Amino acid sequence: MGELKTESKFLFSYPTVYIINTEKKSREYAVYVGETNDIVRRTKEHINVDKRDDWLEINSTVNSRMYIIGHKHFNKSLTLDIENRLMLFLTSVPHVKTVFNRRTNQQGDYYTSTEVNEIFSKIWRKLREKNEKLFPLESIVRDSALFKASPFHKLTDEQKNASVVIKSKVTKSLKDNNATRNLVIVEGEAGAGKTVLMSNLFYDFQVGQEYEAKKTFLLVNHDQQQKVYLQIAKKLGINKEYVCKPTHFINTHSEENKADIVIIDEAHLLLTQGKHSYRGHNQLEDIVKRARVVVAVFDEKQILTTEQYWDEEELSKLLDHAEEKDNLIRLKNQLRINADKETINWIRNFIDNGKINVIPENDSKNYKIRIFEKASDLYNEIQEKNRNQKKGISRLVGTYDWEFNRNKLNNQDYWNVNVGDLSIPWNLQLPVEKAKKINYNDISWAEQPQTINEIGSTYTVQGFDLNYVGVIIGPSVKYRNGKIVFDPSKSANKKAIRNRTLRDGSKKSFGEMFIKNELNVLMTRGVNGLYIFAVDEELQNMLLRAAK
């Protein structure tokens, strides 16, 4: 009896975190997450006083459940961190339709901050014992694209500093009605944490009281990434009209009818010439004219096609102008690749300098680079990695060196990548699997189950993480005279190898640069491993030698 009394004080005398959920007829959940210093008082307030629409939706159902979470080490900061972590995880669960009480409360350092991860994992396992559908395996949640792009991530110091600077500049621009060309550029290589920062800013601008009367849009020119942002918006009660493609935004706004704030994720994918329904000459310039302030992520190493190409003079002018106004922010940390500096340097040397050094041996603990003698062995290993749920999603990707046309059937069933004894379809061809209450058409390519039997391209994996990535380097990448070279004649990516008409009317090819950028995107997808097979014999031999 004494032990029970001691345990109960952690619920009734200490700060607590609580989850209230209601299960819909469609077997989906609406979830409310909160924290309080007095759970009895707070529960009564919800039942008797709270008139918010989100609470009324939960309170009006008969099958709502409440989980109250206490711990002997809970203090105010720790409960706020646990509350935030629960929102991070629950917004990423497929069967959760809506998450209420959507504030962000990331805490800095405090006395017990080092215990957050361990305590949260124990809490999640206990909750999973109560409801496996609402609380899936922690590793599965962490592996989802929703989780990786969630606004509820705890920002690193570098991201936090960038966020403070950006918010300061946005606030200043919104107050200055005479301000012109308010463009803030965030630079960072693949894996620098740009997407999380943009997602966090977009959410804060949508729900923060100081911005509540402002129209904030998030634009992205990438189909798969847009799916992720639309899911996040839906779960957090944000109108989907605020997440859209750049062309749609340009066509629905004018210099007289401006948006307040526009965030552009992966602005290097914006068009710099007319295409389809876009009739302008530069999407970024057109967006800046239609917004009071624009925050844009830009990485010139991820420009992939002629229609995205920036003239060198134009690009220098853009970046110099941002730097002169102190509006250029650089993210330098590598947050995706879970490897030591020596291993990251090997990857960067391979891509940036065309050099193949000896593959570091001390990368075996967290991150592994492996070279395979056969493409089929690489495929089988990625299949094996993907089968282990604890290891997360792994996929095979390749340089765009094999024919593929989504709108035209091949004389076979699919457009295939053929390498030695391996022949598998290019991305987005296999029928989407059907599952109860999960529409796989609405989620990213890598998360669709059937795509483990396809090979992805930059068009499906750019901007996403994979646990292990298998990269088939096609014949457009070769090794000659002691250096990696790029051969546009071997590429099937017409958007990358065709000529671009420049401002002076001349035509020029940038195929080598775009193939290099393509390789950069593919080789920086893996969190815990990079597996490689090269079609070019000299390149493959050099890689095998580097591995030995």
Side-chain angles (χ1 to χ4, degrees), residues 434-451:
K434 293 182 179 179
K436 289 183 179 179
K437 310 308 174 189
I438 298 178
N439 185 355
Y440 284 120
N441 284 309
D442 292 339
I443 66 174
S444 65
W445 174 83
E447 291 180 286
Q448 297 177 19
Q450 81 283 354
T451 62

Side-chain angles (χ1 to χ4, degrees), residues 163-326:
S163 176
V164 170
V165 171
I166 291 168
K167 286 178 179 177
S168 171
K169 292 182 179 298
V170 167
T171 302
K172 185 179 178 181
S173 295
L174 293 177
K175 287 180 179 177
D176 184 0
N177 291 323
N178 298 316
T180 58
R181 195 173 175 82
N182 287 308
L183 172 63
V184 179
I185 294 179
V186 180
E187 273 195 325
E189 292 190 353
K194 303 183 295 293
T195 292
V196 165
L197 175 60
M198 293 301 105
S199 178
N200 187 275
L201 286 168
F202 175 63
Y203 183 70
D204 283 354
F205 291 146
Q206 281 283 346
V207 303
Q209 289 184 350
E210 63 269 47
Y211 306 105
E212 61 184 353
K214 308 301 180 186
K215 286 185 178 179
T216 302
F217 289 81
L218 192 150
L219 312 182
V220 61
N221 223 2
H222 190 291
D223 291 339
Q224 304 299 317
Q225 196 73 24
Q226 188 191 26
K227 287 181 180 182
V228 173
Y229 284 130
L230 284 170
Q231 284 186 81
I232 291 173
K234 182 180 179 182
K235 289 185 182 233
L236 298 179
I238 297 170
N239 193 321
K240 67 179 182 180
E241 74 176 58
Y242 292 115
V243 178
C244 61
K245 291 286 190 73
T247 298
H248 175 78
F249 174 83
I250 291 167
N251 291 341
T252 54
H253 290 78
S254 65
E255 294 186 45
E256 293 73 35
N257 175 33
K258 290 185 177 183
D260 293 303
I261 307 166
V262 171
I263 294 171
I264 311 172
D265 194 8
E266 308 216 46
H268 39 269
L269 300 181
L270 293 175
L271 303 178
T272 56
Q273 63 178 25
K275 179 189 175 185
H276 300 316
S277 57
Y278 176 61
R279 296 286 178 257
H281 300 288
N282 187 302
Q283 286 189 323
L284 183 56
E285 289 182 3
D286 288 342
I287 293 165
V288 169
K289 291 174 185 175
R290 290 163 171 77
R292 295 175 67 187
V293 58
V294 175
V295 182
V297 160
F298 199 91
D299 178 8
E300 59 183 300
K301 290 183 180 179
Q302 293 195 59
I303 295 173
L304 300 171
T305 68
T306 55
E307 62 212 13
Q308 299 161 359
Y309 172 75
W310 278 78
D311 177 272
E312 199 169 314
E313 185 180 332
E314 283 183 309
L315 184 57
S316 295
K317 187 177 176 182
L318 174 79
L319 298 177
D320 289 346
H321 183 80
E323 197 155 23
E324 284 169 15
K325 296 187 70 174
D326 200 25

Side-chain angles (χ1 to χ4, degrees), residues 340 342-344 346 357-364 368-369 546:
D340 55 42
E342 193 179 356
T343 302
I344 292 172
W346 186 92
N357 298 326
V358 174
I359 295 173
E361 292 183 3
N362 60 349
D363 64 343
S364 57
K368 188 71 178 174
I369 297 174

